[in-house]
Amino acid sequence: MSAADFNESSLIEHLIELRSRVVRALLGLGVVLLALMPFSRTLYTHLATPLISQLPAGQSMIATNPAGAFFAPLKLTFFAALFVAVPWLLYQAWAFVAPGLYAREKRLAVPLLGSAVALFYIGCAFAYFLVLPAVFHFLTTFRPDVIAITPDANAYLDFVLAIFFAFGASFELPVAMVILVLLGWVSPQQLREGRGYAIVGIFVLAAVLTPPDVVSQLMLAIPMCFLYELGIHAARWLQPRDQGKTAAP
């Protein structure tokens, strides 16, 4: 067999394996979606609790679009299924790329992936249990009395999903810092020296990602500052010894 035939055969095998992993990932996502479908209304009711609890008694959401009351819970169910299926989806991606990694890369990739998933979940939980109640309390408390809040079901869902993504992604900061150090792009010493600039950047990022209220901005910026410190310590612990010696003065 010639080198060209061998390369073509290897490429076909990789494509078949990729197709198999994609199909398994989609099937797993579909199973979770079907399992959550009967609970779509319950899921939306729980998601709406942080806002409904701050509204006057007897007031609820509206649907400006006639189909909004139907599609909003379905849309939420899909994202909930995606949220639940993330470990399975990442496992399929890992199973595809793992054979091509070195042993040390595998040892580092597994805890990094696990930490990334856990931090994303923690960020979303932090947003649901702490940030959303505080934000809605602030917004409903300081509104003028002549303005009645009648939130739209779809608009509320989009708002909450954006908050979840902002906090979940922002909580990945320590993992991103560790990866940058492992790639040799920065050192823990440089991260420590750039702490002041990082804090300014964190507050700017929090202002961009969150609604225009000081409560949500502070509730994103302050945890990110602690996560930045955590990232420095994690990067020092995982930094390769030879790289640490090279970076030392």
Side-chain angles (χ1 to χ4, degrees), residues 44-52 61-62 76 128 132 136 151-164:
Y44 196 93
T45 299
H46 285 298
L47 188 73
T49 299
L51 176 58
I52 298 299
M61 294 186 181
I62 63 172
L76 172 61
Y128 179 78
L132 291 180
F136 293 138
D152 175 69
N154 274 302
Y156 173 79
L157 177 59
D158 293 338
F159 175 83
V160 172
L161 290 178
I163 291 291
F164 281 173

Side-chain angles (χ1 to χ4, degrees), residues 27-101:
L27 286 176
L29 177 60
V31 169
V32 177
L33 180 60
L34 290 176
L36 292 179
M37 272 295 194
F39 307 100
S40 58
R41 295 169 60 185
T42 303
L43 289 172
Y44 196 93
T45 299
H46 285 298
L47 188 73
T49 299
L51 176 58
I52 298 299
S53 62
Q54 302 298 328
L55 295 179
Q59 187 174 345
S60 60
M61 294 186 181
I62 63 172
T64 55
N65 186 328
F70 173 76
F71 285 111
L74 291 182
K75 182 178 178 181
L76 172 61
T77 304
F78 171 77
F79 280 102
L82 188 63
F83 183 82
V84 173
V86 162
W88 172 253
L89 300 178
L90 288 178
Y91 170 75
Q92 295 303 321
W94 167 253
F96 177 72
V97 302
L101 299 178

Side-chain angles (χ1 to χ4, degrees), residues 8-20:
E8 182 179 356
S9 175
S10 177
L11 176 61
I12 292 175
E13 290 178 358
H14 283 299
L15 292 176
I16 293 175
E17 175 67 13
L18 176 61
R19 183 185 65 179
S20 174

Side-chain angles (χ1 to χ4, degrees), residues 176-209:
M177 294 169 63
V178 169
I179 291 175
L180 291 177
V181 170
L182 293 177
L183 292 175
W185 293 0
V186 294
S187 66
Q189 179 64 27
Q190 291 174 323
L191 293 174
R192 285 195 301 270
E193 294 173 353
R195 182 183 287 111
Y197 298 102
I199 291 175
V200 174
I202 285 172
F203 275 88
V204 172
L205 182 65
V208 173
L209 293 179

Side-chain angles (χ1 to χ4, degrees), residues 132-152:
L132 291 180
V135 169
F136 293 138
H137 177 74
F138 174 82
L139 295 177
T140 55
T141 300
F142 291 96
R143 66 176 177 84
D145 293 335
V146 295
I147 299 178
I149 299 178
T150 54
D152 175 69

